[in-house]
């Protein structure tokens, strides 16, 4: 969906089945702790908002309680990054946006390669939109996510690209 548009909230049974059938990735730390992440990722594609929120809360808890780099790898592995970005546009449900931005802040603390995945999914535009329309607490989390995204690139080319995207998306005005 375009910026500010509410995504289709149909349950996507095929995506859910694919996540459940996907083998867990090999963790960098060697710990097999992905069952809760897998279940939470699958819940992001449910049609019921309460189940989506439960999935987002589960992902947030996993990001806070495990090795964040391993957890981000698993979330990427299960194909959930695009769904996170889509959920950031759910202007009809502030609770979904709240939990999605909390997890996005943690994902934006990942490695440069992990951050590229979330940037390529279009996170910056969604995060910038949040800074103009949601509660002060959620705007603060959006600002943290933007700061993390801006600080992550190791090379000048990526940093310049992200800064250009930020300006292009009118990210300066909401600040």
């Amino acid at each position: 969906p375009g910026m500010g548009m509410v995504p289709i909230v149909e349950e996507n049974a095929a995506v859910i089945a694919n996540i459940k059938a996907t083998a867990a990735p090999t963790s960098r730390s060697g710990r097999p702790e992905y069952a809760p992440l897998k279940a939470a990722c699958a819940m992001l594609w449910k049609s019921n908002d309460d189940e989506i929120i439960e999935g987002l809360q589960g992902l947030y808890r996993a990001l806070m309680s495990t090795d964040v780099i391993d957890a981000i790898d698993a979330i990427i592995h299960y194909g959930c990054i695009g769904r996170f970005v889509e959920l950031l546009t759910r202007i009809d449900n502030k609770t979904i946006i709240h939990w999605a931005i909390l997890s996005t802040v943690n994902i934006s603390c990942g490695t440069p390669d992990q951050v590229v995945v979330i940037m390529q999914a279009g996170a910056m535009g969604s995060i910038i939109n949040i800074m103009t329309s949601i509660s002060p607490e959620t705007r603060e989390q959006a600002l943290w996510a933007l700061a993390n995204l801006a600080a992550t690139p190791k090379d000048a080319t990526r940093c310049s690209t992200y800064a250009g995207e930020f300006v292009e998306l009118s990210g300066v005005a909401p600040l």
Side-chain angles (χ1 to χ4, degrees):
M3 293 234 213
M5 294 179 64
V6 178
I8 298 171
V9 291
E10 270 176 36
E11 183 164 314
N12 193 327
V15 173
I16 294 168
N18 187 45
I19 290 170
K20 290 180 178 180
T22 302
T26 304
S27 74
R28 297 173 197 230
S29 65
R31 291 179 283 163
E33 53 196 318
Y34 295 110
L37 274 172
K38 183 186 254 191
C41 282
M43 291 183 80
L44 298 183
W45 274 272
K46 295 287 190 171
S47 59
N48 179 294
D49 284 355
D50 290 336
E51 290 178 303
I52 293 170
I53 291 166
E54 185 179 336
L56 288 166
Q57 290 170 336
L59 290 172
Y60 177 72
R61 282 190 298 275
L63 286 163
M64 297 301 291
S65 65
T66 62
D67 180 304
V68 72
I69 302 302
D70 284 349
I72 296 168
D73 279 346
I75 291 167
I76 291 169
H77 180 79
Y78 294 130
C80 293
I81 297 298
R83 183 65 172 155
F84 264 106
V85 173
E86 187 177 323
L87 292 172
L88 290 171
T89 68
R90 284 290 307 271
I91 59 174
D92 65 314
N93 192 315
K94 292 179 181 182
T95 304
I96 286 178
I97 290 176
H98 171 77
W99 287 103
I101 195 64
L102 285 175
S103 293
T104 302
V105 168
N106 287 294
I107 293 168
S108 68
C109 292
T111 67
D113 290 336
Q114 291 171 329
V115 170
V116 166
V117 174
I118 197 163
M119 291 296 293
Q120 289 174 340
M124 190 170 293
S126 297
I127 294 168
I128 289 169
N129 284 341
I130 288 171
M131 294 186 62
T132 62
S133 62
I134 306 295
S135 72
E137 297 82 16
T138 304
R139 284 195 307 266
E140 179 183 354
Q141 294 304 314
L143 185 57
W144 276 111
L146 287 173
N148 291 344
L149 293 172
T152 299
K154 287 185 178 179
D155 61 74
T157 304
R158 275 190 187 165
C159 190
S160 173
T161 301
Y162 293 171
E165 182 177 350
F166 182 73
V167 171
E168 182 180 310
L169 293 169
S170 301
V172 177
L175 299 177

